[in-house]
């Protein structure tokens, strides 16, 4: 068996395991990290594919590109046959996004192989395979997450210290970096630093890479011209509304050090040994260290902060930690007397990383107070099951042909599955007070509630519950009630 074949076998096995872990986890633990993963991407995609969906202010004002929702709409249309109601295309979206996320595992393997050979490659790829944050976010329809899955391959293709890459390779790298930037314009400082670091004064590098980035931006700008009012509208309006007008501040303002707090919450006391490994790895690949730093720093300057915003830095830190781990293992290799003992050393490091990932995953909750525990005891208090009861309730109704209207009693629309999970083209009514229930109940025959229904409406029969969120049904049809459905309410409130 030649060495090249061995490398391919290792990478193939790791990729297959990575895909299985990601898809099974996504289907086993339906959850919502932030409402944007549905209402900024999958919900407009559902509207494109099936003709109806909740429309938020971003898509009324035209500050979001239709490129990513358009791609998801195609996936939804092609995979709807996989299951009844919303089950089919929700599964399809999870598989599709998980497949794209495998680029991180491939790049971890190739980056490690370039730096330290096969042992380093296997260690880096294995860490990317099993690290809980990469597993959790892989099937998420966040633009920053998907941008990361193009950013890392673009960096790898362009950054080759041992030889000079071809113009075709540099152009492809530019295209990948352009996709990442178009999906997440906030990555501009990172990509600008990468271009300066890689290209320096080499015009032979600059021209094809800038051509690739420009070409992608022209495509996104053209889509804006056809779907909105003018080219690049979603880029300029997004910057204006959120940075100049400060709309993003309405969703929370955090201190400059918030991302360090987030990392401490996520990694607990293991943050410190992991950062030591990152520093060791940065000696072998300083570009990843600088880029991870600039991503965290540039986002720290913005008032509104969410952990997913610095997701692009996480796989970089994991690769660096893998390089650091491999260096510690390899430094001990002269003391090992056989390949068997070398394999044991690599396996031991993999077990340590796996156990750390599982332990931290069991306590993964960035909204909880900062503590330095190692294990969690209640999975229901973590992000793995967040809002799962609402998603399961909506998905269960997508299988029911009798739904003619849906009321939300105590369930916030932003924490629901929207039409992405409901699928039926029926009105959704937010019902906040007893008086609203009295006025609107003839417009819906199903209620999803997380609190008891008002006493006068005992004709609703309990169908099923998931962790306190229940589905109720009443007999009969639905009346048409104009100007009270969810889209009208959101438009009136500016949400």
């Amino acid at each position: 068996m030649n060495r090249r074949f061995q490398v391919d076998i290792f990478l193939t096995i790791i990729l297959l395991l990575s895909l299985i872990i990601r898809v099974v986890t996504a289907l086993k633990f339906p959850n919502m990290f932030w409402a944007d993963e549905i209402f900024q991407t999958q919900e407009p995609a559902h509207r494109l594919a099936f003709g109806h969906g909740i429309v938020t202010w971003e898509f009324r004002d035209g500050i979001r590109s239709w490129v990513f929702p358009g791609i998801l709409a195609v996936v939804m249309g092609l995979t709807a046959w996989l299951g009844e109601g919303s089950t089919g295309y929700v599964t399809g979206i999870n598989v599709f996004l998980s497949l794209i996320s495998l680029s991180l595992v491939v790049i971890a393997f190739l980056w490690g192989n370039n730096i330290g050979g096969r042992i380093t490659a296997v260690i880096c790829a294995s860490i990317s395979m099993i690290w809980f944050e990469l597993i959790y976010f892989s099937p998420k329809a966040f633009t920053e997450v998907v941008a990361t899955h193009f950013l890392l391959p673009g960096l790898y293709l362009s950054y080759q210290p041992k030889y000079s890459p071809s113009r075709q390779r540099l152009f492809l790298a530019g295209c990948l970096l352009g996709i990442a930037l178009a999906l997440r314009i906030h990555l501009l400082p990172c990509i600008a630093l990468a271009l300066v670091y890689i290209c320096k004064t080499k015009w032979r590098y600059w021209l094809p890479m800038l051509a690739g980035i420009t070409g992608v931006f022209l495509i996104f700008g053209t889509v804006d011209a056809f779907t909105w009012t003018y080219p690049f509208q979603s880029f300029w309006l997004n910057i204006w509304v959120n940075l100049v007008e400060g709309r993003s501040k309405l969703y929370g303002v955090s201190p400059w050090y918030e991302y360090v707090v987030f990392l401490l919450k996520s990694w607990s006391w293991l943050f410190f040994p992991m950062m030591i490994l990152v520093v060791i790895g940065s000696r072998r690949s300083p570009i990843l260290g600088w880029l991870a730093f600039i991503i965290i720093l540039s986002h720290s300057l913005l008032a509104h902060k969410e952990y997913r915003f610095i997701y692009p830095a996480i796989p970089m830190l994991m690769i660096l930690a893998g390089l650091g781990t491999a260096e510690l293992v390899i430094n001990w290799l002269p003391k090992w007397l056989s390949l068997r003992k070398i394999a044991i050393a690599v396996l031991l490091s993999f077990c340590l990383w796996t156990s750390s990932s599982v332990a931290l995953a069991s306590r993964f909750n960035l909204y909880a107070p900062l503590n330095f525990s190692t294990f969690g005891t209640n999975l229901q208090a973590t992000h793995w099951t967040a809002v799962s009861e609402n998603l399961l309730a909506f998905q269960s109704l997508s299988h029911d042909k009798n739904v003619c209207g849906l009321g939300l009693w105590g369930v916030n629309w932003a924490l629901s599955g929207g039409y992405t999970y409901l699928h039926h083209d029926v009105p959704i009514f937010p019902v906040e007070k007893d008086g609203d229930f009295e006025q609107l109940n003839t417009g819906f025959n199903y209620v999803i509630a997380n609190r008891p229904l008002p006493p006068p409406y005992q004709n609703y029969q309990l169908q099923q519950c998931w962790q306190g969120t229940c589905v109720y049904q009443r007999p009969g049809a639905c009346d048409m009630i104009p100007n009270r459905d969810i889209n009208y309410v959101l438009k009136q409130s500016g949400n």
Side-chain angles (χ1 to χ4, degrees):
M1 181 182 293
N2 61 52
R3 183 177 181 274
R4 181 66 182 175
F5 183 71
Q6 288 178 317
V7 170
D8 290 344
I9 285 293
F10 276 121
L11 180 56
T12 301
I13 292 173
I14 291 173
L15 286 176
L16 286 175
L17 289 175
S18 299
L19 181 61
I20 292 171
I21 292 170
R22 281 150 175 74
V23 173
V24 170
T25 303
L27 298 179
K28 176 69 174 177
F29 300 104
N31 59 72
M32 183 192 298
F33 185 78
W34 194 265
D36 285 6
E37 68 187 271
I38 290 181
F39 296 102
Q40 301 303 317
T41 52
Q42 296 182 78
E43 194 73 357
H46 188 277
R47 188 151 59 98
L48 281 177
F50 305 108
H52 55 282
I54 294 176
V55 184
T56 59
W57 70 269
E58 292 91 343
F59 277 90
R60 288 197 307 272
D61 293 353
I63 73 164
R64 301 290 189 196
S65 170
W66 278 100
V67 173
F68 185 37
I71 294 171
L72 293 181
V74 173
V75 175
M76 285 182 172
L78 293 176
T79 58
W81 61 272
L82 291 174
E84 187 181 4
S86 62
T87 303
Y89 59 76
V90 168
T91 301
I93 291 292
N94 283 328
V95 173
F96 172 70
L97 294 177
S98 295
L99 281 169
I100 294 177
S101 75
L102 296 183
S103 66
L104 300 182
V105 181
V106 173
I107 297 307
F109 186 95
L110 296 176
W111 209 293
N113 194 60
N114 282 355
I115 297 294
R118 186 169 62 220
I119 293 176
T120 303
V122 171
I123 290 175
C124 290
S126 298
I127 291 172
S128 295
M129 174 182 71
I130 55 88
W131 190 248
F132 73 99
E133 288 163 308
L134 302 187
I135 294 171
Y136 178 82
F137 282 103
S138 286
K140 296 293 184 184
F142 288 124
T143 53
E144 46 273 278
V145 171
V146 178
T148 305
H149 301 156
F150 290 93
L151 174 65
L152 269 292
L155 292 175
Y156 174 80
L157 289 176
S158 57
Y159 181 66
Q160 296 297 324
K162 295 181 180 179
Y163 64 88
S164 180
S166 66
R167 290 185 178 181
Q168 292 81 2
R169 180 170 177 145
L170 290 170
F171 176 76
L172 177 58
C175 290
L176 294 172
L177 293 177
I179 293 172
L181 185 59
L183 288 171
R184 180 66 177 167
I185 195 66
H186 302 70
L187 290 174
L188 180 59
C190 167
I191 293 177
L193 175 62
L195 289 173
V196 172
Y197 192 101
I198 294 168
C199 300
K200 298 182 176 67
T201 59
K202 303 173 184 175
W203 286 107
R204 180 185 165 277
Y205 281 37
W206 279 102
L207 293 178
M209 291 189 70
L210 288 177
I213 293 173
T214 303
V216 169
F217 259 79
L218 288 175
I219 293 174
F220 275 74
T222 302
V223 171
D224 272 7
F226 282 98
T227 55
W228 296 121
T229 306
Y230 53 85
F232 304 105
Q233 175 180 317
S234 64
F235 295 97
W236 298 116
L237 273 184
N238 195 319
I239 294 171
W240 179 265
V241 168
N242 286 313
L243 292 185
V244 179
E245 294 183 355
R247 176 75 184 243
S248 62
K249 294 179 181 179
L250 297 177
Y251 304 101
V253 175
S254 303
W256 63 269
Y257 53 83
E258 184 74 359
Y259 287 118
V260 176
V261 175
F262 277 146
L263 288 171
L264 287 170
K265 285 184 176 182
S266 185
W267 298 353
S268 187
W269 63 270
L270 289 172
F271 170 87
F272 301 101
M274 285 176 62
M275 292 310 297
I276 292 174
L277 292 174
V278 166
V279 171
I280 295 173
S282 296
R283 295 167 54 212
R284 305 294 302 276
S285 186
I287 184 174
L288 289 180
W290 282 114
L291 293 180
F293 174 76
I294 201 66
I295 289 171
I296 296 174
L297 176 62
S298 61
H299 283 83
S300 296
L301 300 177
L302 302 176
H304 179 59
K305 298 176 179 64
E306 298 174 32
Y307 190 57
R308 62 189 171 102
F309 293 167
I310 64 163
Y311 175 80
I314 303 301
M316 296 180 186
L317 295 176
M318 290 301 105
I319 293 175
L320 290 173
L323 294 176
T325 302
E327 184 165 333
L328 293 181
V329 170
I330 291 172
N331 282 340
W332 282 90
L333 290 187
K335 299 183 179 182
W336 304 110
L337 301 178
S338 66
L339 287 176
R340 180 182 177 184
K341 291 186 177 180
I342 292 173
I344 291 174
V346 174
L347 182 62
L348 178 61
S349 67
F350 174 74
C351 290
L352 288 173
W353 271 102
T354 302
S355 59
S356 298
S357 179
V358 171
L360 295 180
S362 70
R363 60 183 296 284
F364 183 42
N365 185 350
L366 298 171
Y367 304 135
L370 176 63
N371 69 80
F372 291 99
S373 63
T374 305
F375 295 95
T377 57
N378 181 13
L379 201 61
Q380 297 301 320
T382 67
H383 291 299
W384 298 99
T385 58
V387 200
S388 62
E389 61 276 11
N390 295 348
L391 301 181
L392 291 172
F394 269 71
Q395 193 166 55
S396 72
L397 287 185
S398 75
H399 305 158
D400 192 326
K401 306 298 184 184
N402 298 317
V403 181
C404 59
L406 175 64
L408 301 183
W409 178 246
V411 176
N412 189 296
W413 70 270
L415 301 179
S416 73
Y419 288 99
T420 299
Y421 279 79
L422 180 62
H423 193 46
H424 295 302
D425 187 10
V426 300
I428 298 175
F429 297 96
V431 187
E432 298 180 356
K433 304 186 293 285
D434 288 11
D436 295 333
F437 211 110
E438 181 179 358
Q439 295 174 19
L440 300 174
N441 81 94
T442 60
F444 50 82
N445 63 340
Y446 279 85
V447 177
I448 293 180
N450 58 17
R451 54 178 171 166
L453 300 186
Y457 304 101
Q458 299 307 313
N459 57 331
Y460 284 89
Q461 299 298 315
L462 176 64
Q463 301 296 301
Q464 191 174 356
C465 291
W466 297 264
Q467 295 292 325
T469 295
C470 301
V471 172
Y472 298 85
Q473 180 191 13
R474 68 162 173 81
C478 303
D479 296 334
M480 181 179 294
I481 302 180
N483 300 334
R484 295 299 296 270
D485 69 284
I486 182 64
N487 279 325
Y488 180 84
V489 170
L490 292 181
K491 187 176 181 178
Q492 292 300 109
S493 64
N495 291 320

